[in-house]
Amino acid sequence: MSEILQPLLEVNHLKKYFPIKSGLLSRTVGNVKAVDDISFSIKPGETFGLVGESGSGKSTVGRTILRLTDKTDGEVKFKGIDLYDLSPQELRRLRPKMQLIFQDPYSSLNPRVRIGDAIGEALLDHGLVPQAEVRDRVLEVLAACGLSSYHIDRFPHEFSGGQRQRVGIARALVLNPDLIIADEPVSALDVSIQAQIINLFRKMQETRGLTYLFISHDLSVVEHLCSQIGVMYLGSMMERASRDELFRDPLHPYTKALLSAVPVPIPKLKRERIVLSGELPNPADPPSGCKFHTRCPYAVARCREEVPLFRNVGSDRSVACHLV
Amino acid sequence: MNSILDIEHLRTHFKTDDGTVRAVDDVSFQVRQGEIVCIVGESGSGKSITAMSVMGLVEGPAGRVVGGNIRFDGEELLKLSRNELRTIRGNEIAMIFQEPMTSLNPVLKIGEQLMEPLIEHRKLNKKAARKRAIELINEVGISRAEQIADSYPHELSGGMLQRIMIAIAISCGPKLLIADEPTTALDVTIQAQILDMLRKFKEESNMSILLITHDLGVVAEMADYVVVMYAGKVVEEGEVVALFENPKHPYTQGLLKSKPIINQRQEELYSIPGQVPNPLELVPSCYFHERCAHCMEICKTTQPALKEVGNQQKVACWLYEEATANV
Amino acid sequence: MSTINGEATKAYLSKKSVHTSLWRQSLRRLLKNKLAVFGFVVVAFMFAACFIGPLFSPYTDNKINMAFMNKPPSLKHWLGTDVLGRDVLTRVLQAGRISLTVGLASMVLSVFIGSLLGIIAGYYRGIVDQVIMRIADLLLTIPSLPLLFIFGALLSEWKVPTDYRMYIVMLMLSIVGWPGLARMVRGQMLSLREREFMQAAIVLGLRDRRKLFNHLLPNLVPLLIVIATLNIGGAILSESVLSYFGLGVMAPTPTWGNMIDAANNMIDFQEHPWLWIPPGFSIFATVIAINIFGDGLRDVLDPKQKR
């Protein structure tokens, strides 16, 4: 029983600050708190959606988990192992188990490497399969991702955006990972292609039991794919809930505003819209108290002074708001 | 309602190393006064090139408008000289782009860039232009207008810059505003603000808006009339409610079905198979036939024409040609 | 806008055409650039003429023949004879061998040093980077021509045998040539490191060796080819200048540079133009052709540098 409950990925009080340097000696004059004390965990087979607007730090969370950039503080545990305790060699050996899918299918593939090599090289490098079998494994995963066997010798520039994203997915899947972090994987794609890729993500989860951390700004996509959802604003988690709860009854005013701002393709649909006033504050100089108070329609004096705790409400749901 | 923009049989071609791309291929539609028309399509559909052709921005050795008419307020734009076009551009037809950051000059202050068209087209003196510029900044919902007028583009956020772009666009009271993916680079909460503002200005000044977008949600919220483009062609057009409730063309149907909608979860999304055809390999046929579930023999050999199918809705599809022929 | 259509076009062309690498694509585009092809033909002609031409000349022994000194062009001596009665055409072609060899060799050497140090600096960064780049900066602050002059004067002072001078000149040219190159390579490395496909390589857990040889270097090579090509022209020019001033390769070994030295003499300049026009024209034609070809290469290999 306890084994089932053990989360695959555990993020505890993760912080990532980028120093702001200035002057001749480039002294650090301040910090951009891109990720400011974030905690969440993902159970095996689950899809966790991380939602937020630009500057919310959602992509930095993904990159800090994978140690593409160093953390400032906190803990990242993958299968109970703290990734930041590993030596570079140990980390390298563990990497095939946690893969990343990028937003831009153009820049994430090396233009001078054939698709087959791009997908197969990590298998070879880690010695996961004998050299003679690499090509078979590549062909297998190409087919699973909806690409044809004749694509194997082609170069990235011969593919369309949607096909490239399939290659990116195939490159990750061939390693048989447990966790896939997908950073805005469909936002660069056209609507009709988006649907194909979303379906592919779903199919892969069903057939391979994958666990996803799905980072996106698009709530409609997140709703479609994710079972748990976290909403980020200026580096902090504002609300975390299961999909059904979050979409049925959003608690945080920011979540409510975000949900109501998404344009719905149904004309003349009369919706009550919360249009937020103002712009995203400067992340280098975030507002005091609740970071959202400058744009919150319900803000009271307390919100300006006191940082709301990210606390449990209900069985499996947390929110950071004084008013809830 | 009289039409303010009348596009007839517009053709814009691009020469590439491998052949000619017919980016806009015999496109006709109208924009009436006080109306918001949305051109919706995916990348490579020619929707942006259509807008740029209207603005006279397709130039250079590679791209050229090779045929058709663009009548604005009764005047044929394609016959105008560069100079005459300049007096219309930015004055009677204004345009805003997807990337506000790159459409503003980084070394000029916001105020100066707002004053430019006022001095150029409205013949205001510097003082009056500055006063009007401050008013405009206030009108697009930015407080501290004086301070903003004296800042440089890099000091403002994307949402603010897009507001400034809109302020510049409406400064001369245009009859037509062309907005090319104006909110694609912005966050949803900012997008909502910008769309609300565009609608407000339209109501106040009775200008027309030609909105180019790939987002069906934006279309549903903004449009009075919708033009759907695919591979350089108009495949369907019609009044927005009719078109969304009863899409005729299989492409429009697929597009609407493949978009996930909040609070309407499905197990599996519908997706249009395949991908957009290579613009260099198009042969006379319905360009959608390879991806179409209703493909017939005739679709592979003959191009369907855009025909009215009642209630102001037009569609270019053999499914409806036959139906009407049989009746 | 045309690029978007171009992208789409390329993507779908793949359905029919065989898979083409970026190299093959670049070659195809290069062949369409008439000027670049012309440049290449001229360079190739120069190389062929200089390395093969003298084999067909009856005057390769460079025998001094006072009876034939300073004769204008004739059927026997197409470009006339020099002050010692040697055939000018043969001398120009033999000089070309030296000049082109010096240009080519010093290019290879400086590209080797420069790219090696640039790659090391850009890949490992930190203190290694600091040391390498500060040395490069130091060399870049010294104007190269006076530096070469001083080297040249020292060589003469130390009475270095003329046979060796050619090699020392090559070395000198690469010493002044590598810092600029290293800086460019390092810049390219730093920008490549930040590209997403390199991040992908980290996530895949690839070994350093594979990241370097399979991902970074192939993307560096186009830049290197362009720089190398353009560098040959520069090296030929520098060698000519040195030799012209008598500080580079010295007589009797002919180079284009020391042959134009004839123009230094007022009588030769006015009365015997066949002595200095042929080598002068050779330098001019070769360097221009290399630059035209190099520019064409840059356009197809490194499109971001355009405009």
Side-chain angles (χ1 to χ4, degrees):
Chain A
M1 193 64 201
S2 65
E3 244 182 52
I4 297 166
L5 286 175
Q6 158 131 37
L8 183 74
L9 180 75
E10 229 180 316
V11 176
N12 292 324
H13 303 288
L14 186 66
K15 289 180 188 163
K16 172 66 189 175
Y17 298 170
F18 293 102
I20 309 164
K21 301 208 166 164
S22 131
L24 207 58
L25 298 168
S26 48
R27 274 183 311 139
T28 304
V29 293
N31 284 310
V32 174
K33 300 182 175 177
V35 178
D36 194 10
D37 201 352
I38 293 277
S39 304
F40 62 90
S41 63
I42 311 179
K43 294 193 198 80
E46 200 176 63
T47 303
F48 190 93
L50 206 50
V51 187
E53 300 181 282
S54 50
S56 64
K58 56 188 191 303
S59 290
T60 313
V61 171
R63 267 149 222 267
T64 316
I65 290 173
L66 289 174
R67 276 184 72 177
L68 279 174
T69 168
D70 266 329
K71 68 173 183 184
T72 303
D73 198 12
E75 201 178 47
V76 179
K77 278 186 173 167
F78 176 71
K79 291 177 163 177
I81 307 164
D82 190 331
L83 293 181
Y84 279 87
D85 281 347
L86 297 179
S87 72
Q89 273 315 309
E90 290 168 325
L91 179 66
R92 196 182 73 78
R93 275 196 291 274
L94 193 62
R95 282 207 182 275
K97 289 288 152 208
M98 26 180 210
Q99 284 300 303
L100 177 65
I101 290 166
F102 295 84
Q103 169 175 6
D104 185 352
Y106 290 84
S107 62
S108 54
L109 293 173
N110 188 339
R112 295 184 186 277
V113 174
R114 286 174 202 271
I115 296 309
D117 295 336
I119 297 174
E121 63 178 348
L123 281 180
L124 214 58
D125 220 35
H126 287 284
L128 293 175
V129 293
Q131 189 154 7
E133 279 175 37
V134 169
R135 199 178 163 89
D136 290 340
R137 292 287 290 271
V138 172
L139 286 171
E140 210 177 272
V141 77
L142 277 178
C145 292
L147 294 163
S148 308
S149 51
Y150 60 82
H151 286 133
I152 194 167
D153 288 325
R154 298 218 167 139
F155 288 92
H157 65 90
E158 300 175 272
F159 290 83
S160 67
Q163 287 175 319
R164 286 184 206 213
Q165 202 56 298
R166 287 176 191 272
V167 173
I169 295 172
R171 180 173 62 182
L173 286 181
V174 79
L175 295 169
N176 250 331
D178 296 316
L179 173 72
I180 287 192
I181 299 184
D183 189 0
E184 301 266 13
V186 297
S187 25
L189 306 175
D190 278 321
V191 186
S192 71
I193 306 300
Q194 232 179 49
Q196 294 175 1
I197 299 296
I198 292 172
N199 286 340
L200 179 62
F201 268 102
R202 258 205 126 114
K203 195 181 103 195
M204 287 307 157
Q205 184 163 44
E206 279 159 19
T207 53
R208 299 179 179 230
L210 291 168
T211 307
Y212 292 132
L213 172 60
F214 197 89
I215 300 166
S216 177
H217 71 279
D218 190 334
L219 279 162
S220 53
V221 172
V222 166
E223 184 194 14
H224 195 81
L225 274 174
C226 305
S227 44
Q228 290 284 323
I229 294 166
V231 180
M232 283 184 74
Y233 184 77
L234 279 182
S236 297
M237 190 82 92
M238 292 288 155
E239 181 165 6
R240 193 193 58 73
S242 74
R243 161 178 55 191
D244 296 329
E245 282 178 312
L246 190 95
F247 280 86
R248 196 186 332 113
D249 177 28
L251 293 178
H252 199 285
Y254 178 62
T255 317
K256 288 181 188 169
L258 211 53
L259 275 170
S260 78
V262 179
V264 172
I266 305 167
K268 308 293 184 253
L269 179 78
K270 291 277 175 273
R271 280 194 307 158
E272 212 176 308
R273 179 106 54 51
I274 310 161
V275 174
L276 291 180
S277 58
E279 307 278 330
L280 196 74
N282 181 357
D285 183 22
S288 62
C290 172
K291 286 174 178 170
F292 184 59
H293 84 255
T294 51
R295 299 174 73 194
C296 181
Y298 313 109
V300 294
R302 187 178 169 205
C303 304
R304 274 184 284 280
E305 288 144 19
E306 199 183 320
V307 181
L309 283 175
F310 188 61
R311 61 199 161 79
N312 272 343
V313 285
S315 61
D316 187 22
R317 169 162 211 192
S318 311
V319 67
C321 180
H322 292 307
L323 304 173
V324 176
Chain B
M1 281 195 289
N2 45 343
S3 84
I4 188 95
L5 181 71
D6 224 320
I7 296 177
E8 278 173 6
H9 307 294
L10 180 69
R11 289 167 194 278
T12 305
H13 290 184
F14 281 84
K15 286 213 166 57
T16 71
D17 282 353
D18 305 300
T20 301
V21 171
R22 286 168 300 184
V24 178
D25 189 9
D26 196 6
V27 163
S28 308
F29 64 91
Q30 291 185 339
V31 181
R32 281 172 294 225
Q33 199 178 9
E35 192 181 53
I36 299 182
V37 173
C38 282
I39 307 183
V40 60
E42 300 180 281
S43 43
S45 63
K47 57 188 193 304
S48 285
I49 309 286
T50 305
M52 287 166 80
S53 306
V54 173
M55 286 301 273
L57 293 176
V58 178
E59 39 193 55
R64 211 159 66 82
V65 176
V66 294
N69 301 306
I70 303 174
R71 265 193 304 279
F72 171 71
D73 215 5
E75 201 166 4
E76 176 56 57
L77 289 186
L78 292 176
K79 291 211 179 83
L80 293 185
S81 70
R82 205 168 262 268
N83 227 353
E84 290 167 317
L85 198 59
R86 198 176 53 78
T87 62
I88 290 184
R89 224 163 30 198
N91 187 16
E92 292 184 57
I93 308 181
M95 186 159 183
I96 50 180
F97 299 89
Q98 177 175 345
E99 292 289 342
M101 201 47 131
T102 52
S103 356
L104 285 164
N105 186 336
V107 299
L108 287 182
K109 288 178 183 164
I110 297 292
E112 293 173 72
Q113 304 195 46
L114 261 163
M115 285 155 65
E116 261 177 3
L118 293 166
I119 295 169
E120 171 77 29
H121 295 298
R122 291 281 159 222
K123 312 290 178 223
L124 295 183
N125 63 30
K126 269 203 155 173
K127 217 175 143 196
R130 164 124 189 143
K131 192 166 158 267
R132 180 78 187 112
I134 304 275
E135 283 172 22
L136 282 164
I137 298 176
N138 275 319
E139 273 177 49
V140 291
I142 302 178
S143 49
R144 299 176 296 129
E146 287 274 353
Q147 196 187 332
I148 296 294
D150 286 325
S151 32
Y152 290 94
H154 72 265
E155 300 174 280
L156 305 185
S157 69
M160 296 256 252
L161 290 175
Q162 198 58 293
R163 286 163 194 273
I164 297 295
M165 286 306 297
I166 293 174
I168 294 174
I170 62 166
S171 62
C172 294
K175 292 177 183 155
L176 174 68
L177 175 69
I178 300 179
D180 187 358
E181 303 266 11
T183 57
T184 305
L186 306 176
D187 286 318
V188 274
T189 57
I190 307 294
Q191 165 170 288
Q193 296 171 356
I194 299 282
L195 294 181
D196 275 3
M197 197 169 67
L198 281 177
R199 237 185 336 237
K200 190 189 93 191
F201 285 130
K202 191 215 89 171
E203 300 295 327
E204 284 171 5
S205 66
N206 203 27
M207 71 178 171
S208 313
I209 298 180
L210 179 60
L211 182 68
I212 287 122
T213 181
H214 69 282
D215 188 336
L216 293 161
V218 171
V219 176
E221 285 205 2
M222 298 293 287
D224 297 307
Y225 195 81
V226 185
V227 177
V228 184
M229 284 185 74
Y230 187 78
K233 289 238 166 232
V234 175
V235 293
E236 181 164 6
E237 59 175 271
E239 197 270 318
V240 65
V241 178
L243 190 127
F244 272 72
E245 281 175 2
N246 189 10
K248 301 276 190 207
H249 198 284
Y251 175 64
T252 320
Q253 291 168 354
L255 216 50
L256 281 167
K257 269 195 278 180
S258 57
K259 167 134 179 115
I261 303 174
I262 278 196
N263 288 330
Q264 292 187 9
R265 211 179 316 142
Q266 303 145 279
E267 260 317 294
E268 189 173 341
L269 281 176
Y270 176 85
S271 69
I272 306 175
Q275 46 201 315
V276 190
N278 176 3
L280 288 172
E281 286 174 0
L282 295 177
V283 288
S285 65
C286 169
Y287 296 156
F288 188 63
H289 80 261
E290 284 184 344
R291 308 175 69 185
C292 185
H294 311 284
C295 180
M296 302 175 291
E297 273 313 305
I298 188 168
C299 305
K300 296 176 188 164
T301 54
T302 322
Q303 188 134 53
L306 197 64
K307 288 263 171 67
E308 183 131 1
V309 286
N311 197 16
Q312 279 194 342
Q313 207 166 342
K314 292 180 191 168
V315 64
C317 178
W318 288 115
L319 287 175
Y320 303 93
E321 289 279 325
E322 292 214 318
T324 43
N326 288 344
V327 168
Chain C
M1 269 346 268
S2 58
T3 52
I4 291 176
N5 281 306
E7 282 291 339
T9 307
K10 268 178 240 149
Y12 300 117
L13 265 182
S14 62
K15 227 183 269 177
K16 278 179 186 162
S17 58
V18 280
H19 40 272
T20 52
S21 71
L22 287 181
W23 292 113
R24 207 176 297 178
Q25 224 180 36
S26 302
L27 182 67
R28 196 151 28 105
R29 279 212 307 264
L30 185 66
L31 291 178
K32 278 196 180 152
N33 184 342
K34 299 274 176 333
L35 208 58
V37 172
F38 173 74
F40 178 77
V41 169
V42 171
V43 176
F45 174 78
M46 283 317 248
F47 269 88
C50 293
F51 284 89
I52 303 170
L55 302 179
F56 299 99
S57 161
Y59 308 110
T60 40
D61 50 358
N62 280 321
K63 210 162 57 192
I64 296 169
N65 188 342
M66 288 308 181
F68 276 106
M69 57 187 273
N70 287 338
K71 287 279 184 282
S74 63
L75 273 179
K76 240 180 125 189
H77 296 283
W78 292 355
L79 292 175
T81 59
D82 68 3
V83 68
L84 297 173
R86 296 171 297 194
D87 181 57
V88 171
L89 177 59
T90 309
R91 294 274 295 166
V92 165
L93 295 180
Q94 286 174 331
R97 275 188 190 180
I98 307 294
S99 289
L100 293 174
T101 309
V102 169
L104 210 59
S106 69
M107 175 277 284
V108 169
L109 204 56
S110 64
V111 165
F112 180 74
I113 302 174
S115 52
L116 191 69
L117 292 177
I119 288 168
I120 291 173
Y123 190 73
Y124 290 104
R125 297 188 287 187
I127 190 79
V128 189
D129 179 24
Q130 288 292 324
V131 171
I132 293 176
M133 290 329 285
R134 290 305 79 79
I135 294 173
D137 285 346
L138 200 70
L139 277 170
L140 280 170
T141 51
I142 307 169
S144 55
L145 216 50
L147 187 69
L148 289 174
F149 278 8
I150 294 168
F151 276 145
L154 281 176
L155 290 184
S156 305
E157 184 64 32
W158 293 336
K159 308 230 168 8
V160 174
T162 44
D163 291 353
Y164 289 123
R165 283 197 74 134
M166 185 175 129
Y167 302 108
I168 295 174
V169 168
M170 287 178 198
L171 202 65
M172 276 157 46
L173 290 176
S174 8
I175 287 173
V176 298
W178 75 263
L181 227 147
R183 181 183 271 190
M184 245 190 279
V185 169
R186 171 182 171 269
Q188 182 79 0
M189 285 293 281
L190 290 181
S191 93
L192 281 173
R193 274 187 78 108
E194 297 307 312
R195 297 275 293 277
E196 258 184 7
F197 62 78
M198 288 313 296
Q199 305 245 307
I202 297 176
V203 173
L204 292 171
L206 299 184
R207 288 165 205 274
D208 276 10
R209 194 159 18 98
R210 186 180 289 271
K211 278 192 277 192
L212 188 61
F213 288 102
N214 290 27
H215 291 276
L216 284 172
L217 291 189
N219 283 286
L220 200 62
V221 170
L223 178 80
L224 286 183
I225 292 178
V226 173
I227 305 177
T229 313
L230 292 173
N231 250 24
I232 303 178
I236 291 176
L237 274 184
S238 301
E239 180 276 324
S240 305
V241 171
L242 276 185
S243 302
Y244 171 78
F245 284 109
L247 297 167
V249 181
M250 297 220 284
T253 315
T255 76
W256 287 337
N258 66 24
M259 283 182 76
I260 324 182
D261 187 33
N264 247 348
N265 176 330
M266 221 37 203
I267 298 165
D268 281 342
F269 181 70
Q270 286 175 329
E271 308 282 324
H272 312 126
W274 59 86
L275 292 184
W276 55 268
I277 287 181
F281 179 78
S282 302
I283 295 175
F284 172 79
T286 310
V287 174
I288 290 262
I290 288 176
N291 284 344
I292 290 174
F293 178 59
D295 277 342
L297 267 180
R298 161 151 52 206
D299 286 351
V300 298
L301 289 179
D302 200 10
K304 261 175 263 150
Q305 296 256 314
K306 220 164 39 173
R307 264 170 279 170

